[in-house]
Short mmCIF file of all heavy atoms in Angstrom, two decimals:
data_model
loop_
_atom_site.label_atom_id
_atom_site.label_comp_id
_atom_site.label_asym_id
_atom_site.label_seq_id
_atom_site.Cartn_x
_atom_site.Cartn_y
_atom_site.Cartn_z
N MET L 1 -62.83 -0.32 85.65
CA MET L 1 -61.57 0.34 85.85
C MET L 1 -60.51 -0.34 84.99
O MET L 1 -60.45 -1.55 84.89
CB MET L 1 -61.17 0.26 87.32
CG MET L 1 -59.81 0.86 87.60
SD MET L 1 -59.37 0.84 89.33
CE MET L 1 -58.44 -0.67 89.40
N SER L 2 -59.68 0.44 84.34
CA SER L 2 -58.60 -0.14 83.55
C SER L 2 -57.25 0.20 84.18
O SER L 2 -57.10 1.20 84.87
CB SER L 2 -58.66 0.38 82.11
OG SER L 2 -58.47 1.77 82.10
N VAL L 3 -56.31 -0.68 83.93
CA VAL L 3 -54.95 -0.51 84.44
C VAL L 3 -54.01 -0.54 83.24
O VAL L 3 -54.14 -1.39 82.36
CB VAL L 3 -54.58 -1.63 85.44
CG1 VAL L 3 -53.14 -1.50 85.88
CG2 VAL L 3 -55.52 -1.59 86.63
N ALA L 4 -53.09 0.39 83.20
CA ALA L 4 -52.14 0.46 82.09
C ALA L 4 -50.74 0.10 82.58
O ALA L 4 -50.43 0.23 83.77
CB ALA L 4 -52.14 1.84 81.48
N ARG L 5 -49.95 -0.32 81.65
CA ARG L 5 -48.55 -0.64 81.93
C ARG L 5 -47.69 0.10 80.91
O ARG L 5 -48.13 0.38 79.80
CB ARG L 5 -48.31 -2.13 81.82
CG ARG L 5 -46.90 -2.52 82.15
CD ARG L 5 -46.72 -4.00 82.16
NE ARG L 5 -45.31 -4.25 82.42
CZ ARG L 5 -44.88 -5.20 83.21
NH1 ARG L 5 -45.72 -6.00 83.80
NH2 ARG L 5 -43.59 -5.37 83.39
N ILE L 6 -46.46 0.40 81.27
CA ILE L 6 -45.54 1.09 80.37
C ILE L 6 -44.30 0.22 80.20
O ILE L 6 -43.75 -0.28 81.17
CB ILE L 6 -45.15 2.47 80.92
CG1 ILE L 6 -46.39 3.36 81.03
CG2 ILE L 6 -44.10 3.12 80.04
CD1 ILE L 6 -46.15 4.68 81.73
N THR L 7 -43.89 0.06 78.95
CA THR L 7 -42.66 -0.66 78.66
C THR L 7 -41.79 0.20 77.76
O THR L 7 -42.28 1.05 77.03
CB THR L 7 -42.95 -2.03 78.00
OG1 THR L 7 -41.76 -2.79 77.92
CG2 THR L 7 -43.57 -1.87 76.63
N GLU L 8 -40.50 0.00 77.84
CA GLU L 8 -39.57 0.81 77.07
C GLU L 8 -39.04 0.00 75.89
O GLU L 8 -38.66 -1.17 76.06
CB GLU L 8 -38.41 1.24 77.96
CG GLU L 8 -37.54 2.30 77.38
CD GLU L 8 -36.59 2.89 78.41
OE1 GLU L 8 -36.92 2.92 79.59
OE2 GLU L 8 -35.50 3.32 77.99
N ILE L 9 -39.04 0.60 74.70
CA ILE L 9 -38.54 -0.09 73.51
C ILE L 9 -37.63 0.83 72.70
O ILE L 9 -37.67 2.06 72.86
CB ILE L 9 -39.68 -0.62 72.62
CG1 ILE L 9 -40.49 0.53 72.02
CG2 ILE L 9 -40.57 -1.58 73.37
CD1 ILE L 9 -41.44 0.09 70.94
N ASN L 10 -36.84 0.24 71.85
CA ASN L 10 -35.98 0.96 70.91
C ASN L 10 -36.38 0.52 69.51
O ASN L 10 -36.66 -0.66 69.29
CB ASN L 10 -34.51 0.63 71.15
CG ASN L 10 -34.05 1.09 72.50
OD1 ASN L 10 -34.09 2.27 72.79
ND2 ASN L 10 -33.62 0.16 73.33
N ALA L 11 -36.36 1.45 68.57
CA ALA L 11 -36.69 1.12 67.19
C ALA L 11 -35.86 1.99 66.26
O ALA L 11 -35.38 3.06 66.64
CB ALA L 11 -38.18 1.34 66.93
N SER L 12 -35.72 1.54 65.02
CA SER L 12 -34.94 2.30 64.04
C SER L 12 -35.73 2.46 62.75
O SER L 12 -36.70 1.74 62.51
CB SER L 12 -33.61 1.61 63.76
OG SER L 12 -33.84 0.33 63.22
N GLY L 13 -35.30 3.43 61.93
CA GLY L 13 -35.96 3.67 60.66
C GLY L 13 -35.22 4.69 59.84
O GLY L 13 -34.20 5.25 60.26
N SER L 14 -35.76 4.97 58.66
CA SER L 14 -35.12 5.90 57.74
C SER L 14 -35.36 7.37 58.09
O SER L 14 -34.69 8.26 57.58
CB SER L 14 -35.62 5.64 56.31
OG SER L 14 -37.03 5.77 56.25
N SER L 15 -36.32 7.62 58.98
CA SER L 15 -36.60 8.96 59.51
C SER L 15 -37.06 8.80 60.95
O SER L 15 -37.34 7.68 61.39
CB SER L 15 -37.68 9.67 58.69
OG SER L 15 -38.94 9.03 58.88
N ILE L 16 -37.16 9.89 61.67
CA ILE L 16 -37.63 9.79 63.06
C ILE L 16 -39.06 9.26 63.08
O ILE L 16 -39.39 8.36 63.84
CB ILE L 16 -37.53 11.16 63.76
CG1 ILE L 16 -36.06 11.58 63.88
CG2 ILE L 16 -38.19 11.12 65.14
CD1 ILE L 16 -35.84 13.00 64.35
N GLU L 17 -39.90 9.81 62.20
CA GLU L 17 -41.29 9.36 62.12
C GLU L 17 -41.37 7.88 61.77
O GLU L 17 -42.15 7.13 62.37
CB GLU L 17 -42.05 10.19 61.09
CG GLU L 17 -43.50 9.82 60.97
CD GLU L 17 -44.25 10.69 59.97
OE1 GLU L 17 -43.77 11.77 59.62
OE2 GLU L 17 -45.33 10.26 59.54
N ASN L 18 -40.56 7.45 60.82
CA ASN L 18 -40.53 6.05 60.41
C ASN L 18 -40.08 5.15 61.55
O ASN L 18 -40.62 4.06 61.76
CB ASN L 18 -39.63 5.89 59.19
CG ASN L 18 -39.58 4.47 58.69
OD1 ASN L 18 -38.55 3.82 58.83
ND2 ASN L 18 -40.65 3.99 58.10
N ALA L 19 -39.10 5.58 62.32
CA ALA L 19 -38.62 4.79 63.46
C ALA L 19 -39.72 4.64 64.51
O ALA L 19 -39.92 3.55 65.05
CB ALA L 19 -37.39 5.45 64.07
N ILE L 20 -40.46 5.72 64.78
CA ILE L 20 -41.57 5.65 65.74
C ILE L 20 -42.64 4.70 65.23
O ILE L 20 -43.14 3.84 65.96
CB ILE L 20 -42.15 7.05 66.00
CG1 ILE L 20 -41.11 7.94 66.69
CG2 ILE L 20 -43.43 6.96 66.83
CD1 ILE L 20 -41.48 9.42 66.73
N GLU L 21 -43.01 4.84 63.96
CA GLU L 21 -44.03 3.96 63.38
C GLU L 21 -43.60 2.50 63.41
O GLU L 21 -44.41 1.61 63.69
CB GLU L 21 -44.35 4.40 61.95
CG GLU L 21 -45.10 5.71 61.89
CD GLU L 21 -45.28 6.24 60.48
OE1 GLU L 21 -44.72 5.66 59.53
OE2 GLU L 21 -45.98 7.25 60.32
N ASN L 22 -42.32 2.23 63.12
CA ASN L 22 -41.82 0.86 63.19
C ASN L 22 -41.93 0.30 64.60
O ASN L 22 -42.32 -0.85 64.80
CB ASN L 22 -40.36 0.80 62.73
CG ASN L 22 -40.20 1.00 61.24
OD1 ASN L 22 -41.16 0.90 60.48
ND2 ASN L 22 -38.99 1.31 60.82
N GLY L 23 -41.58 1.11 65.59
CA GLY L 23 -41.66 0.67 66.98
C GLY L 23 -43.09 0.40 67.42
O GLY L 23 -43.37 -0.61 68.07
N VAL L 24 -44.00 1.29 67.05
CA VAL L 24 -45.41 1.11 67.42
C VAL L 24 -45.99 -0.12 66.72
O VAL L 24 -46.71 -0.92 67.34
CB VAL L 24 -46.24 2.38 67.08
CG1 VAL L 24 -47.73 2.11 67.22
CG2 VAL L 24 -45.82 3.53 67.99
N ALA L 25 -45.67 -0.30 65.45
CA ALA L 25 -46.18 -1.46 64.71
C ALA L 25 -45.69 -2.76 65.34
O ALA L 25 -46.47 -3.70 65.53
CB ALA L 25 -45.75 -1.38 63.25
N ARG L 26 -44.42 -2.81 65.68
CA ARG L 26 -43.88 -4.03 66.28
C ARG L 26 -44.44 -4.27 67.67
O ARG L 26 -44.80 -5.40 68.02
CB ARG L 26 -42.34 -3.95 66.34
CG ARG L 26 -41.68 -5.15 66.99
CD ARG L 26 -42.07 -6.44 66.27
NE ARG L 26 -41.53 -7.60 66.94
CZ ARG L 26 -42.16 -8.29 67.89
NH1 ARG L 26 -43.37 -7.95 68.27
NH2 ARG L 26 -41.58 -9.33 68.44
N ALA L 27 -44.55 -3.22 68.47
CA ALA L 27 -45.12 -3.37 69.82
C ALA L 27 -46.56 -3.86 69.74
O ALA L 27 -47.01 -4.68 70.54
CB ALA L 27 -45.04 -2.05 70.57
N SER L 28 -47.31 -3.38 68.75
CA SER L 28 -48.72 -3.74 68.60
C SER L 28 -48.91 -5.20 68.20
O SER L 28 -49.99 -5.75 68.39
CB SER L 28 -49.39 -2.83 67.57
OG SER L 28 -49.41 -1.50 68.05
N GLU L 29 -47.88 -5.82 67.65
CA GLU L 29 -47.96 -7.25 67.32
C GLU L 29 -48.01 -8.09 68.60
O GLU L 29 -48.61 -9.16 68.62
CB GLU L 29 -46.76 -7.69 66.49
CG GLU L 29 -46.74 -7.15 65.09
CD GLU L 29 -45.48 -7.56 64.34
OE1 GLU L 29 -44.76 -8.49 64.80
OE2 GLU L 29 -45.22 -6.96 63.29
N THR L 30 -47.36 -7.63 69.66
CA THR L 30 -47.26 -8.38 70.90
C THR L 30 -48.19 -7.85 71.98
O THR L 30 -48.79 -8.62 72.73
CB THR L 30 -45.81 -8.33 71.43
OG1 THR L 30 -44.93 -8.78 70.41
CG2 THR L 30 -45.64 -9.19 72.65
N LEU L 31 -48.31 -6.54 72.08
CA LEU L 31 -49.10 -5.90 73.13
C LEU L 31 -50.47 -5.51 72.61
O LEU L 31 -50.58 -4.97 71.50
CB LEU L 31 -48.37 -4.64 73.64
CG LEU L 31 -46.92 -4.84 74.09
CD1 LEU L 31 -46.29 -3.49 74.38
CD2 LEU L 31 -46.86 -5.74 75.29
N LYS L 32 -51.49 -5.76 73.40
CA LYS L 32 -52.84 -5.36 73.02
C LYS L 32 -53.15 -4.00 73.62
O LYS L 32 -52.66 -3.64 74.67
CB LYS L 32 -53.86 -6.39 73.52
CG LYS L 32 -53.69 -7.74 72.87
CD LYS L 32 -54.71 -8.72 73.40
CE LYS L 32 -54.49 -10.09 72.76
NZ LYS L 32 -55.44 -11.06 73.27
N LYS L 33 -53.98 -3.25 72.92
CA LYS L 33 -54.47 -1.95 73.38
C LYS L 33 -53.35 -0.94 73.64
O LYS L 33 -53.33 -0.26 74.66
CB LYS L 33 -55.34 -2.11 74.62
CG LYS L 33 -56.61 -2.91 74.38
CD LYS L 33 -57.51 -2.88 75.58
CE LYS L 33 -58.77 -3.68 75.32
NZ LYS L 33 -59.69 -3.62 76.45
N VAL L 34 -52.40 -0.84 72.70
CA VAL L 34 -51.38 0.19 72.79
C VAL L 34 -52.07 1.54 72.64
O VAL L 34 -52.83 1.75 71.70
CB VAL L 34 -50.29 0.01 71.71
CG1 VAL L 34 -49.35 1.20 71.69
CG2 VAL L 34 -49.53 -1.28 71.94
N GLU L 35 -51.85 2.45 73.58
CA GLU L 35 -52.57 3.71 73.58
C GLU L 35 -51.72 4.93 73.25
O GLU L 35 -52.19 5.85 72.62
CB GLU L 35 -53.26 3.92 74.93
CG GLU L 35 -54.35 2.90 75.17
CD GLU L 35 -55.33 3.36 76.23
OE1 GLU L 35 -55.02 4.28 76.99
OE2 GLU L 35 -56.40 2.75 76.27
N GLN L 36 -50.47 4.95 73.68
CA GLN L 36 -49.63 6.10 73.39
C GLN L 36 -48.16 5.78 73.59
O GLN L 36 -47.82 4.77 74.19
CB GLN L 36 -50.03 7.30 74.23
CG GLN L 36 -50.05 7.08 75.72
CD GLN L 36 -50.62 8.28 76.45
OE1 GLN L 36 -50.37 9.41 76.07
NE2 GLN L 36 -51.38 8.04 77.49
N VAL L 37 -47.31 6.64 73.02
CA VAL L 37 -45.87 6.50 73.19
C VAL L 37 -45.28 7.84 73.56
O VAL L 37 -45.82 8.90 73.21
CB VAL L 37 -45.18 5.96 71.91
CG1 VAL L 37 -45.68 4.59 71.56
CG2 VAL L 37 -45.33 6.91 70.75
N TRP L 38 -44.18 7.78 74.30
CA TRP L 38 -43.40 8.97 74.64
C TRP L 38 -42.01 8.75 74.10
O TRP L 38 -41.30 7.84 74.53
CB TRP L 38 -43.30 9.17 76.15
CG TRP L 38 -44.58 9.44 76.83
CD1 TRP L 38 -45.18 10.66 76.99
CD2 TRP L 38 -45.43 8.49 77.48
NE1 TRP L 38 -46.35 10.52 77.69
CE2 TRP L 38 -46.53 9.19 78.00
CE3 TRP L 38 -45.38 7.11 77.65
CZ2 TRP L 38 -47.56 8.57 78.69
CZ3 TRP L 38 -46.41 6.50 78.34
CH2 TRP L 38 -47.47 7.23 78.84
N VAL L 39 -41.60 9.57 73.16
CA VAL L 39 -40.25 9.46 72.63
C VAL L 39 -39.31 10.15 73.62
O VAL L 39 -39.44 11.33 73.89
CB VAL L 39 -40.14 10.10 71.23
CG1 VAL L 39 -38.70 10.06 70.74
CG2 VAL L 39 -41.07 9.39 70.25
N GLN L 40 -38.39 9.38 74.15
CA GLN L 40 -37.49 9.90 75.16
C GLN L 40 -36.16 10.35 74.59
O GLN L 40 -35.54 11.27 75.11
CB GLN L 40 -37.21 8.82 76.22
CG GLN L 40 -38.43 8.47 77.03
CD GLN L 40 -38.06 7.53 78.13
OE1 GLN L 40 -37.70 6.38 77.88
NE2 GLN L 40 -38.10 8.02 79.35
N ASP L 41 -35.72 9.68 73.54
CA ASP L 41 -34.38 9.95 73.04
C ASP L 41 -34.34 9.64 71.54
O ASP L 41 -34.98 8.69 71.09
CB ASP L 41 -33.38 9.05 73.78
CG ASP L 41 -31.95 9.41 73.56
OD1 ASP L 41 -31.67 10.60 73.30
OD2 ASP L 41 -31.10 8.51 73.65
N VAL L 42 -33.63 10.46 70.80
CA VAL L 42 -33.44 10.24 69.37
C VAL L 42 -31.94 10.24 69.08
O VAL L 42 -31.23 11.13 69.54
CB VAL L 42 -34.14 11.33 68.53
CG1 VAL L 42 -33.86 11.13 67.05
CG2 VAL L 42 -35.62 11.38 68.80
N LYS L 43 -31.51 9.24 68.36
CA LYS L 43 -30.11 9.15 67.95
C LYS L 43 -30.08 8.90 66.45
O LYS L 43 -31.05 8.41 65.88
CB LYS L 43 -29.40 8.00 68.67
CG LYS L 43 -29.33 8.18 70.17
CD LYS L 43 -28.65 6.99 70.81
CE LYS L 43 -28.67 7.16 72.31
NZ LYS L 43 -28.10 6.03 73.01
N ALA L 44 -28.97 9.23 65.83
CA ALA L 44 -28.82 8.97 64.41
C ALA L 44 -27.47 8.31 64.15
O ALA L 44 -26.46 8.69 64.74
CB ALA L 44 -28.92 10.27 63.63
N ARG L 45 -27.48 7.32 63.28
CA ARG L 45 -26.23 6.67 62.88
C ARG L 45 -25.73 7.38 61.63
O ARG L 45 -26.48 7.63 60.69
CB ARG L 45 -26.47 5.20 62.58
CG ARG L 45 -25.18 4.43 62.36
CD ARG L 45 -25.43 2.99 62.18
NE ARG L 45 -26.05 2.81 60.86
CZ ARG L 45 -26.38 1.64 60.36
NH1 ARG L 45 -26.22 0.55 61.05
NH2 ARG L 45 -26.92 1.54 59.16
N VAL L 46 -24.45 7.68 61.61
CA VAL L 46 -23.84 8.42 60.50
C VAL L 46 -22.88 7.51 59.75
O VAL L 46 -22.09 6.78 60.36
CB VAL L 46 -23.10 9.67 61.03
CG1 VAL L 46 -22.40 10.40 59.90
CG2 VAL L 46 -24.07 10.60 61.76
N SER L 47 -22.96 7.55 58.43
CA SER L 47 -22.06 6.80 57.58
C SER L 47 -21.61 7.68 56.43
O SER L 47 -22.45 8.29 55.75
CB SER L 47 -22.77 5.55 57.05
OG SER L 47 -21.93 4.80 56.23
N ASP L 48 -20.34 7.80 56.23
CA ASP L 48 -19.77 8.65 55.17
C ASP L 48 -20.27 10.09 55.25
O ASP L 48 -20.59 10.72 54.24
CB ASP L 48 -20.08 8.06 53.79
CG ASP L 48 -19.41 6.72 53.57
OD1 ASP L 48 -18.27 6.54 54.06
OD2 ASP L 48 -20.01 5.85 52.91
N GLY L 49 -20.40 10.60 56.48
CA GLY L 49 -20.80 11.99 56.66
C GLY L 49 -22.27 12.27 56.50
O GLY L 49 -22.69 13.43 56.50
N LYS L 50 -23.11 11.22 56.36
CA LYS L 50 -24.55 11.41 56.20
C LYS L 50 -25.30 10.51 57.17
O LYS L 50 -24.86 9.40 57.47
CB LYS L 50 -24.99 11.07 54.77
CG LYS L 50 -24.43 12.01 53.73
CD LYS L 50 -24.99 11.68 52.38
CE LYS L 50 -24.44 12.66 51.34
NZ LYS L 50 -25.00 12.39 50.02
N VAL L 51 -26.44 10.99 57.62
CA VAL L 51 -27.29 10.18 58.49
C VAL L 51 -27.90 9.07 57.65
O VAL L 51 -28.52 9.32 56.61
CB VAL L 51 -28.40 11.03 59.14
CG1 VAL L 51 -29.37 10.15 59.91
CG2 VAL L 51 -27.81 12.09 60.05
N ASP L 52 -27.72 7.83 58.08
CA ASP L 52 -28.30 6.72 57.33
C ASP L 52 -29.35 5.94 58.12
O ASP L 52 -30.03 5.08 57.56
CB ASP L 52 -27.22 5.78 56.78
CG ASP L 52 -26.47 5.02 57.86
OD1 ASP L 52 -26.62 5.35 59.05
OD2 ASP L 52 -25.71 4.10 57.51
N GLU L 53 -29.50 6.24 59.41
CA GLU L 53 -30.52 5.56 60.21
C GLU L 53 -30.81 6.37 61.46
O GLU L 53 -29.90 6.91 62.09
CB GLU L 53 -30.04 4.17 60.60
CG GLU L 53 -31.05 3.37 61.40
CD GLU L 53 -30.53 2.01 61.78
OE1 GLU L 53 -29.48 1.93 62.47
OE2 GLU L 53 -31.17 1.03 61.39
N TYR L 54 -32.08 6.46 61.80
CA TYR L 54 -32.51 7.12 63.03
C TYR L 54 -32.94 6.05 64.01
O TYR L 54 -33.54 5.04 63.63
CB TYR L 54 -33.68 8.06 62.76
CG TYR L 54 -33.28 9.26 61.95
CD1 TYR L 54 -33.34 9.23 60.56
CD2 TYR L 54 -32.82 10.42 62.56
CE1 TYR L 54 -32.96 10.32 59.81
CE2 TYR L 54 -32.43 11.52 61.81
CZ TYR L 54 -32.51 11.46 60.43
OH TYR L 54 -32.13 12.54 59.68
N ARG L 55 -32.64 6.29 65.28
CA ARG L 55 -33.02 5.35 66.34
C ARG L 55 -33.74 6.12 67.43
O ARG L 55 -33.29 7.19 67.83
CB ARG L 55 -31.77 4.67 66.90
CG ARG L 55 -31.05 3.85 65.87
CD ARG L 55 -29.79 3.27 66.39
NE ARG L 55 -29.13 2.48 65.33
CZ ARG L 55 -27.96 1.94 65.44
NH1 ARG L 55 -27.28 2.08 66.56
NH2 ARG L 55 -27.44 1.25 64.45
N VAL L 56 -34.85 5.57 67.89
CA VAL L 56 -35.62 6.22 68.95
C VAL L 56 -35.74 5.28 70.14
O VAL L 56 -35.84 4.07 69.99
CB VAL L 56 -37.04 6.65 68.48
CG1 VAL L 56 -36.95 7.73 67.43
CG2 VAL L 56 -37.85 5.49 67.97
N ASN L 57 -35.71 5.86 71.31
CA ASN L 57 -35.98 5.15 72.56
C ASN L 57 -37.30 5.72 73.05
O ASN L 57 -37.44 6.93 73.18
CB ASN L 57 -34.86 5.41 73.57
CG ASN L 57 -35.12 4.74 74.89
OD1 ASN L 57 -35.81 3.73 74.95
ND2 ASN L 57 -34.58 5.31 75.94
N MET L 58 -38.29 4.86 73.26
CA MET L 58 -39.60 5.36 73.65
C MET L 58 -40.28 4.44 74.66
O MET L 58 -39.94 3.27 74.77
CB MET L 58 -40.49 5.55 72.43
CG MET L 58 -40.70 4.35 71.58
SD MET L 58 -41.59 4.82 70.07
CE MET L 58 -41.31 3.39 69.09
N LYS L 59 -41.19 5.03 75.40
CA LYS L 59 -42.02 4.28 76.33
C LYS L 59 -43.38 4.08 75.68
O LYS L 59 -43.93 5.00 75.09
CB LYS L 59 -42.18 5.02 77.65
CG LYS L 59 -40.90 5.06 78.45
CD LYS L 59 -41.12 5.62 79.82
CE LYS L 59 -39.82 5.54 80.60
NZ LYS L 59 -40.00 6.00 81.97
N VAL L 60 -43.88 2.86 75.78
CA VAL L 60 -45.16 2.49 75.17
C VAL L 60 -46.14 2.19 76.29
O VAL L 60 -45.86 1.39 77.18
CB VAL L 60 -44.99 1.25 74.26
CG1 VAL L 60 -46.33 0.84 73.67
CG2 VAL L 60 -43.98 1.51 73.17
N SER L 61 -47.30 2.82 76.24
CA SER L 61 -48.34 2.61 77.24
C SER L 61 -49.42 1.72 76.64
O SER L 61 -49.89 1.95 75.50
CB SER L 61 -48.95 3.96 77.62
OG SER L 61 -50.11 3.78 78.40
N PHE L 62 -49.81 0.67 77.38
CA PHE L 62 -50.88 -0.22 76.92
C PHE L 62 -51.74 -0.64 78.09
O PHE L 62 -51.29 -0.71 79.22
CB PHE L 62 -50.29 -1.45 76.19
CG PHE L 62 -49.37 -2.29 77.02
CD1 PHE L 62 -49.83 -3.44 77.64
CD2 PHE L 62 -48.04 -1.94 77.19
CE1 PHE L 62 -48.99 -4.23 78.41
CE2 PHE L 62 -47.18 -2.73 77.95
CZ PHE L 62 -47.66 -3.87 78.55
N VAL L 63 -53.00 -0.92 77.80
CA VAL L 63 -53.97 -1.29 78.82
C VAL L 63 -53.90 -2.80 79.03
O VAL L 63 -53.88 -3.58 78.08
CB VAL L 63 -55.40 -0.87 78.41
CG1 VAL L 63 -56.43 -1.35 79.42
CG2 VAL L 63 -55.47 0.64 78.26
N LEU L 64 -53.84 -3.21 80.28
CA LEU L 64 -53.82 -4.63 80.61
C LEU L 64 -55.22 -5.22 80.43
O LEU L 64 -56.22 -4.60 80.80
CB LEU L 64 -53.35 -4.84 82.05
CG LEU L 64 -51.93 -4.36 82.35
CD1 LEU L 64 -51.65 -4.54 83.84
CD2 LEU L 64 -50.91 -5.09 81.52
N THR L 65 -55.28 -6.40 79.83
CA THR L 65 -56.56 -7.07 79.63
C THR L 65 -56.80 -8.04 80.78
O THR L 65 -55.87 -8.49 81.44
CB THR L 65 -56.59 -7.81 78.30
OG1 THR L 65 -55.53 -8.76 78.27
CG2 THR L 65 -56.42 -6.85 77.13
N GLU L 66 -58.04 -8.37 80.94
CA GLU L 66 -58.40 -9.29 82.05
C GLU L 66 -58.20 -10.72 81.67
O GLU L 66 -58.17 -11.13 80.59
CB GLU L 66 -59.86 -9.06 82.42
CG GLU L 66 -60.07 -7.70 82.99
CD GLU L 66 -61.49 -7.46 83.40
OE1 GLU L 66 -62.18 -8.41 83.79
OE2 GLU L 66 -61.92 -6.32 83.32
#
């Protein structure tokens, strides 16, 4: 039987996809067996009338090891 845990993280990037990938990559450095993410919120930082950074808030699911 496996047990999973969920933690919430924020990440940023040059696109929404890039922000998600950055968050997953960083979470995977610390957490083992990352299985899925749920993007809960997307925000964008605007500078001089243009979006210059995307930020995502997501939940990361990972399996607890013994």
Side-chain angles (χ1 to χ4, degrees):
M1 176 177 94
S2 62
V3 176
R5 183 175 177 139
I6 298 172
T7 189
E8 192 168 330
I9 65 169
N10 296 299
S12 61
S14 58
S15 68
I16 295 170
E17 182 178 342
N18 181 251
I20 295 168
E21 290 173 354
N22 288 344
V24 170
R26 178 58 184 91
S28 295
E29 290 177 15
T30 306
L31 307 172
K32 296 180 181 179
K33 297 187 179 182
V34 172
E35 294 200 343
Q36 55 187 322
V37 298
W38 295 274
V39 176
Q40 294 186 292
D41 192 28
V42 177
K43 296 178 184 177
R45 188 176 72 178
V46 177
S47 180
D48 295 324
K50 294 184 179 182
V51 174
D52 67 349
E53 182 181 59
Y54 291 90
R55 297 176 180 174
V56 294
N57 178 27
M58 57 187 165
K59 290 188 176 183
V60 178
S61 170
F62 60 98
V63 176
L64 298 176
T65 59
E66 294 182 30

